[in-house]
Amino acid sequence: MIRRLRSAPLGLVLTLLALTAQAPGGWVTVRTSQFAPVLSGFASVQPGAPVPITALQAGVLTSLAVVPGESVRPGQPIGLLGGAQLAAALATAQGASNAANAALAAEQGKFADHLGTRAAVAQARAAAVSARASLLALRAASRLQSPVAGQVQSLAVGPGAALAPGQEVAVIQPAAGAWVKAVLYGAQAETLAPGMAARFTPADGAPAMPITLRGVQATQSDGGLVLAFAGHGLQPGESGAVSLSLPPRPVLLVPSEALVLDNGRWWVMLHDAQGDHAAPVVPGATQGPETPILSGLKAGDQVIVQDAALLYHRGIAGLYQPPD
């Protein structure tokens, strides 16, 4: 007599039973790697409509360099942000950059004395580069600039005004030409600074073209940043995607096939002295065959790759009773 606790296809039962009797097929050791995130989002080419200039960081408008009706060129300063809040943020970013540079120097010294590894030096260098990029982005945010050539249409505030991120300062009427409006999401989008290079890829299959970030227009209610890019040969009304690469940073990368999604949460199967067991993780955006892990793992962990999903679900086999 065959008695099942739950009904299931016989093939699935036999597969799971066979899997529980086998050792894992293979695993990889988690190591720190250099990872260059790529931000991308929907974009559209806008005609020469008025472009608002907004604050990128909270601060006090210490000065204004233009008046209504004045002609401006791309990248021309509109005003300066200052105040205690911005000064504190700059001091924190400067301290982080100094600490990262000191750590890099220490790792380089250890490597020169044959007490360190090349991988540790590379990791420290990437951390220093990332900290420096954050500092430069914050410094750039203190300078309000015109993203396009045109004329100052209006000023919304005056010197001494306390500004919140995304608050309008001025409106520029472009002299001619089109610009690219894009929406990007994520905390990393907030570190972007005017002057960064990007690419606009039209949806109709036309070749991608280089564009330059000129500024942040606004922050949407869902957290998306509306960015303005300048470029040549843009056709108003054309849609597509904008992508730009951020400075490389150290992350933990695992093969994407090692990740298991269960009830809205991500897991990996760890292989250690206690056996094989599931561990919750928080993955980042997948880049090719690998996925960065934001939390849940550390360098040196062994992650099972082959048949990871089957191993994760092998407990299902315990719900079934084989034939007598």
Side-chain angles (χ1 to χ4, degrees), residues 97 127-139 191-193 246-248:
S97 182
V129 170
S130 178
R132 177 66 175 172
S134 297
L135 174 60
L136 293 178
L138 197 56
R139 287 177 178 172
T191 67
L192 301 180
L246 299 179

Side-chain angles (χ1 to χ4, degrees), residues 207-239:
M209 57 188 68
I211 54 177
T212 304
L213 176 60
R214 292 305 187 189
V216 178
Q217 283 195 291
T219 301
Q220 297 185 158
S221 58
D222 61 358
L225 289 182
V226 182
L227 305 174
F229 295 83
H232 299 287
L234 301 171
Q235 300 298 321
E238 193 170 37
S239 62

Side-chain angles (χ1 to χ4, degrees), residues 29-38 119 122-127 130 188 246-255 282-287 290-295 297-300:
T29 300
V30 177
R31 293 184 175 88
T32 302
S33 302
Q34 301 305 312
F35 177 66
V38 176
Q123 180 178 351
R125 180 177 293 109
S130 178
Q188 292 172 325
L246 299 179
R249 57 187 175 89
V251 296
L252 300 175
L253 290 177
V254 302
V282 178
T286 298
Q287 296 290 329
E290 295 184 302
T291 298
I293 301 300
L294 305 181
S295 66
L297 293 178
K298 63 181 183 301

Side-chain angles (χ1 to χ4, degrees), residues 42-49 177-182 217 234-238:
F42 175 77
S44 59
V45 179
Q46 305 294 314
W179 57 284
V180 176
K181 174 183 177 182
Q217 283 195 291
L234 301 171
Q235 300 298 321
E238 193 170 37

Side-chain angles (χ1 to χ4, degrees), residues 27-32 252-255 268-272 277 279-281 293 295-304:
W27 53 80
V28 298
T29 300
V30 177
R31 293 184 175 88
T32 302
L252 300 175
L253 290 177
V254 302
V268 297
M269 292 296 297
L270 290 180
H271 176 74
D272 55 27
H277 57 92
V281 296
I293 301 300
S295 66
L297 293 178
K298 63 181 183 301
D301 285 343
Q302 291 184 319
V303 174
I304 297 174

